[in-house]
Amino acid sequence: QEAKDLGGFFAVSPKYDCPHISDHLVEDPQFFQEVSLKNPCGDCQNIGENWVCLKCKTVKCSRYVNEHMLFHAVESGHALVLSFSDLSFWCYHCESYVSSPEFTSVLKHFQTLKFGSEADEISKQLSGLTIEEEDSAFNLKTVEELATKLKKGVFTKVAVMAGAGISVNAGIPDFRSEKGLYAKFAKEDLPQPEAIFDISFFKKKPEFFFQFAKEFSPEGYEPTLTHYFLSFLAQKDLLHMCYSQNIDGLEKKAGVPSDKLVQAHGHLETAHCSECGKEFDTAEMKTCISSGEVAWCSCGSPAKPDIVFFGEALPPSFHSGVAKLDEADLLVIVGTSLVVYPFAALADMVPKKCPRVYLSKDLGKSVSSSFKFKKKGDKRDVALIGDCDEILGQVLDICEWRQEFEEFVASHKSTGHLRVET
């Protein structure tokens, strides 16, 4: 019982100042040479959801299986572990995900095991976290400066990180604001609001997810100005890649080309059984979401849309799309509080001289700690605080693109498809 109490339901915001790293991490990758991602749990022989102890390299299963790593942490006192599933780091003493440049060498080792050659690009970019960022040659402290440089073609490979905030104006609530979904879920009989998207909790009590699923279903909602702005950038051959946390699919509905869109947290277009993995009928899933009834697979387990729950690995498209960040010459972060990892780590994976523009209604603590908005002499990071539709609308006006943009949107709405060739 002590082990179960210690585990609880994990937080989704990593802790940046974990005090246990120096005592519980072996930084030398050679120490882990004998560890394979296919190593079974030392207690139950599970080969699925396993973790490795970063102090003694013991492999045990996660709380999604039999919680043997949790018991190992209690018995040994070892705090730090790494997930074989998504390569995240967890500290049992802090009871939180943790992040630190000290993990770089170990992370590089396991990324190479998991992703092969693709990990080389990721590791090169992650290694930059230990180096003082160089100032960019671009000064983007105002909307006018951003728009002017876009119009002049200074930026031709714009990478975008999009979160739930861009869909609020469409009528879809976000997650973490005072009136967001988590505030609503907090009133329910849940261990914590995020549990509704926890795969372990879902398998035990799927009725909670289906009770609220239609709250974030895109049925009946239309893309906002921001969604169409991303598609418009693609039309003008300025959009390099769009990485989206959203499961509503409105970027795709607005016409963002599939080869420039990474739906990092999945989508509602398809569905599978949470246990046996069998494909589930999409139409039936939509009916269940609409009615609030649990979707049951023929094996007797609950089925779910192909959205990524806490405890599940991100899709392969996310990992393959990371390498493309190395080519970006501008990063626009819009509508996300950057608290969910590994998605939030993308902000640190663009080149050191790539400007980063943060658009949101407020400046969260996790964002301000990762960026240098107020550092004297820094020209790389800028925060444009306000409604994202209004700010990007200003960009359209300053660039004198408004009429072209409105014609573009009208054409898309009337034909049901985009005028974008990729």
Side-chain angles (χ1 to χ4, degrees), residues 45-320:
Q45 301 304 304
N46 167 73
I47 57 173
E49 293 281 348
N50 288 333
W51 297 72
V52 59
C53 175
L54 299 181
K55 180 71 173 180
C56 67
K57 62 187 177 186
T58 295
V59 175
K60 301 282 187 178
C61 65
S62 77
R63 64 192 182 86
Y64 304 117
V65 187
N66 294 312
E67 301 185 297
H68 287 133
M69 183 55 83
L70 178 58
F71 287 99
H72 170 75
V74 172
E75 294 170 359
S76 67
H78 298 169
L80 296 175
V81 294
L82 176 142
S83 166
F84 285 170
S85 177
D86 62 7
L87 303 186
S88 58
F89 294 86
W90 177 266
C91 177
Y92 282 105
H93 290 183
C94 293
E95 297 186 52
S96 174
Y97 281 117
V98 291
S99 179
S100 170
E102 294 178 66
F103 294 141
T104 300
S105 59
V106 173
L107 180 59
K108 178 179 179 180
H109 170 74
F110 283 102
Q111 282 175 331
T112 301
L113 289 181
K114 190 175 183 70
F115 305 119
S117 59
E118 287 181 4
D120 294 338
E121 280 298 321
I122 300 175
S123 299
K124 287 179 183 177
Q125 295 163 42
L126 282 173
S127 64
L129 292 175
T130 62
I131 301 173
E132 182 66 20
E133 301 284 8
E134 299 177 13
D135 285 343
S136 166
F138 308 120
N139 191 338
L140 297 174
K141 296 305 181 185
T142 67
V143 176
E144 290 76 11
E145 289 163 345
L146 170 63
T148 299
K149 294 186 186 300
L150 274 175
K151 184 177 181 180
K152 289 183 176 180
V154 174
F155 304 118
T156 59
K157 293 186 176 181
V158 182
V160 176
M161 293 173 63
I166 74 171
S167 295
V168 171
N169 287 343
I172 300 176
D174 63 6
F175 289 91
R176 292 179 172 79
S177 69
E178 293 182 1
K179 297 182 179 180
L181 289 173
Y182 286 156
K184 186 172 185 177
F185 298 161
K187 301 175 183 178
E188 302 298 322
D189 185 22
L190 294 166
Q192 68 176 39
E194 292 88 346
I196 199 169
F197 294 110
D198 181 288
I199 189 61
S200 178
F201 186 78
F202 174 81
K203 290 179 179 180
K204 296 175 181 177
K205 297 184 177 182
E207 61 273 12
F208 280 97
F209 172 80
F210 284 97
Q211 178 183 345
F212 294 103
K214 63 181 178 181
E215 296 276 357
F216 45 84
S217 170
E219 296 296 322
Y221 295 106
E222 294 298 323
T224 66
L225 182 146
T226 298
H227 292 104
Y228 281 117
F229 182 86
L230 303 181
S231 185
F232 184 65
L233 287 181
Q235 166 79 359
K236 299 185 78 65
D237 200 26
L238 296 176
L239 181 67
H240 183 54
M241 288 294 294
C242 175
Y243 304 86
S244 177
Q245 290 178 287
N246 299 331
I247 61 175
D248 54 42
L250 291 184
E251 296 94 352
K252 193 170 184 179
K253 190 172 183 179
V256 175
S258 297
D259 63 343
K260 293 186 180 296
L261 177 62
V262 174
Q263 293 175 293
H265 292 169
H267 51 75
L268 295 161
E269 298 172 13
T270 54
H272 289 80
C273 175
S274 62
E275 195 64 45
C276 72
K278 180 181 178 181
E279 186 172 0
F280 191 84
D281 182 73
T282 303
E284 186 176 348
M285 177 59 70
K286 289 184 177 179
T287 299
C288 290
I289 289 176
S290 177
S291 65
E293 297 295 323
V294 176
W296 295 103
C297 175
S298 57
C299 75
S301 299
K304 57 179 277 292
D306 289 339
I307 59 178
V308 179
F309 277 41
F310 297 128
E312 293 185 305
L314 298 188
S317 61
F318 174 81
H319 300 290
S320 61

Side-chain angles (χ1 to χ4, degrees), residues 4-41:
K4 290 185 177 181
D5 290 342
L6 177 62
F9 280 85
F10 55 83
V12 297
S13 177
K15 184 179 177 66
Y16 294 98
D17 58 350
C18 171
H20 309 108
I21 294 176
S22 60
D23 293 332
H24 295 266
L25 169 68
V26 177
E27 292 189 57
D28 184 5
Q30 294 297 320
F31 179 71
F32 299 97
Q33 287 299 316
E34 300 175 1
V35 179
S36 167
L37 298 183
K38 295 182 180 180
N39 283 158
C41 170

